[in-house]
Amino acid sequence: MLKLIQTEEEIMLQEAARGLLDRSAPVSRLRELRDANQTRDDALWQEMVDAGWAGILVPESAGGADMGHTAAHVLAREMGRTLAVSPFLSTAVMAATVLRRLDDPRCQAALAQIASGARTYAIAVDEGSKFNPERIELMAEKRGNGYVLKGEKRFVVDGGNADHVLVLAQSKDGPCLFDLPADRAGLRRNVSAMIDSRDAARLEFDDVAVSGDELLGAAGDGRALLRYGLEAGQAALAAESTGLAQAAFAITTEYLKERKQFGVTIASFQALQHRAAHLWCEIEMTTSAVLQAGRILDADPDAATLAVSVAKARAIDTAQLAAREGVQMHGGIGMTDAYDMGFYMKRARVAAEWLGDYGYHAAQVAQLRGF
């Protein structure tokens, strides 16, 4: 039976993470980055690397900590609390999960670079307006011992700042997954800042030459291989969204205890108490769903799809509810930039779309349940 409470080691990791992030990445830091039109925080990422977070899923043989997905979720949840800006999900979670599945010296070298902070990744999978890894129109044409890539990828989160990109493309042998330097000739990155002040890119591949050595696994296995990274990322993003909801709830309840109307604090109003209690219950259930997903990813990643989609769907709904309730219970000032609640709402909106929205994951759950 899976243990759905945190271990002592996970609690210690949480406390250490909270201390680092409260000190180096409070929400005020995100405000500074936004005002400076910056979508990366190199100093924070270096602190994370020094703390061993970049290697949280990297095997010890490659210089990592190899603490597992549940531990990675502890970190992601704390990052969600302060809305930290980092390549953690794309690099330390998704890319590391894919690379560690391959018994290849090149992958071991890449994992060592992830753990040391020498390399960051973005994941290029989306091509339409919605997440759909089954749709692959980016073509990989065989050329000698290598391939030539033609087409584009959209909504590549961290794509503007990453050193490398994992690219899913279609070949005559089936889906292929490539590990490419982001500065490869013919690869053009159109970068924009998202509403939550992180970067995303549209990648255009204009006859991009790749060698056979840059193919991960075998031709035709790309989608199946990337699936492990995507599900790891979906679960970690659910954890981040849960941390976001917890922080938004804490900020809101503190405001309810301070704000007065008619000579009393508005926390004494029964209608607001009911709304706060409902939100607390939703957060607790989502926290359990995320913990379940982490435990299954650690124990049996081949059987994790259902738990991951339940966690992601719940986290999407809960994070957006927490942000909406936060804005509304703050009243008119909740809509102003002077208060942080708007930052939580924007991050929740982006997290709701990245790696599959509520509809996508609800459909996954229904299918796996036989409906």
Side-chain angles (χ1 to χ4, degrees), residues 115-173:
S116 69
R119 182 183 292 189
T120 57
Y121 276 89
I123 312 299
V125 59
D126 290 339
E127 297 185 4
S129 59
K130 290 291 184 178
F131 176 75
N132 183 7
E134 299 297 317
R135 171 187 173 181
I136 312 173
E137 296 181 0
L138 176 67
M139 295 305 300
E141 297 180 1
K142 192 70 176 169
R143 188 77 57 85
N145 293 326
Y147 296 84
V148 172
L149 303 184
K150 298 180 181 180
E152 71 173 29
K153 293 289 185 180
R154 302 180 183 178
F155 193 35
V156 182
V157 176
D158 299 323
N161 294 316
D163 305 311
H164 273 240
V165 186
L166 295 186
V167 182
L168 187 63
Q170 185 70 32
S171 75
K172 67 176 184 178
D173 298 314

Side-chain angles (χ1 to χ4, degrees), residues 259-262 264-274:
R259 178 78 167 102
K260 288 186 176 182
Q261 284 186 342
F262 313 113
V264 297
T265 60
I266 60 177
S268 65
F269 297 168
Q270 192 174 57
L272 296 183
Q273 291 175 357
H274 287 170

Side-chain angles (χ1 to χ4, degrees), residues 206-351:
D206 184 9
D207 290 337
V208 175
V210 298
S211 69
D213 289 342
E214 291 170 321
L215 172 66
L216 296 180
D221 293 343
R223 186 188 289 115
L225 179 59
L226 184 59
R227 168 202 154 196
Y228 295 98
L230 293 177
E231 290 187 357
Q234 288 160 349
L237 185 55
E240 181 186 278
S241 298
T242 304
L244 180 160
Q246 291 172 338
F249 176 76
I251 292 169
T252 301
T253 52
E254 282 303 309
Y255 179 76
L256 296 181
K257 295 173 185 176
E258 296 171 359
R259 178 78 167 102
K260 288 186 176 182
Q261 284 186 342
F262 313 113
V264 297
T265 60
I266 60 177
S268 65
F269 297 168
Q270 192 174 57
L272 296 183
Q273 291 175 357
H274 287 170
R275 289 168 65 176
H278 170 67
L279 177 55
W280 181 86
C281 291
E282 292 296 315
I283 292 171
E284 288 299 300
M285 288 190 290
T286 299
T287 300
S288 294
V290 171
L291 188 53
Q292 168 87 345
R295 296 282 189 243
I296 295 179
L297 281 168
D298 286 329
D300 187 3
D302 289 314
T305 303
L306 176 60
V308 168
S309 280
V310 168
K312 180 67 160 67
R314 280 209 60 89
I316 289 169
D317 205 38
T318 302
Q320 295 199 97
L321 174 64
R324 287 196 307 270
E325 290 288 71
V327 168
Q328 291 177 14
M329 291 192 203
H330 275 75
I333 61 170
M335 297 297 296
T336 68
D337 192 61
Y339 279 71
D340 291 337
M341 193 54 64
F343 287 99
Y344 286 91
M345 175 170 279
K346 292 171 183 176
R347 181 65 62 86
R349 292 286 174 86
V350 172

Side-chain angles (χ1 to χ4, degrees), residues 52-228:
W53 297 4
I56 194 77
L57 294 176
V58 174
E60 293 181 9
S61 60
D66 200 12
M67 294 181 68
H69 291 279
T70 307
H73 295 176
V74 170
L75 299 179
R77 187 173 66 243
E78 293 306 309
M79 292 178 203
R81 284 182 58 255
T82 66
L83 307 179
V85 174
S86 82
F88 178 78
L89 293 182
S90 298
T91 301
V93 175
M94 287 192 279
T97 297
V98 171
L99 292 168
R100 68 175 292 155
R101 295 196 65 84
L102 297 168
D103 185 15
D104 186 319
R106 291 165 298 180
C107 292
Q108 291 299 306
L111 286 165
Q113 288 190 301
I114 288 175
S116 69
R119 182 183 292 189
T120 57
Y121 276 89
I123 312 299
V125 59
D126 290 339
E127 297 185 4
S129 59
K130 290 291 184 178
F131 176 75
N132 183 7
E134 299 297 317
R135 171 187 173 181
I136 312 173
E137 296 181 0
L138 176 67
M139 295 305 300
E141 297 180 1
K142 192 70 176 169
R143 188 77 57 85
N145 293 326
Y147 296 84
V148 172
L149 303 184
K150 298 180 181 180
E152 71 173 29
K153 293 289 185 180
R154 302 180 183 178
F155 193 35
V156 182
V157 176
D158 299 323
N161 294 316
D163 305 311
H164 273 240
V165 186
L166 295 186
V167 182
L168 187 63
Q170 185 70 32
S171 75
K172 67 176 184 178
D173 298 314
C176 294
L177 187 62
F178 299 97
D179 183 348
L180 304 181
D183 59 358
R184 177 60 54 83
L187 173 54
R188 184 164 52 252
R189 296 192 280 184
N190 300 289
V191 185
S192 59
M194 297 186 290
I195 59 170
D196 69 342
S197 301
R198 293 186 296 185
D199 82 278
R202 187 176 79 254
L203 304 184
E204 298 178 1
F205 297 81
D206 184 9
D207 290 337
V208 175
V210 298
S211 69
D213 289 342
E214 291 170 321
L215 172 66
L216 296 180
D221 293 343
R223 186 188 289 115
L225 179 59
L226 184 59
R227 168 202 154 196
Y228 295 98

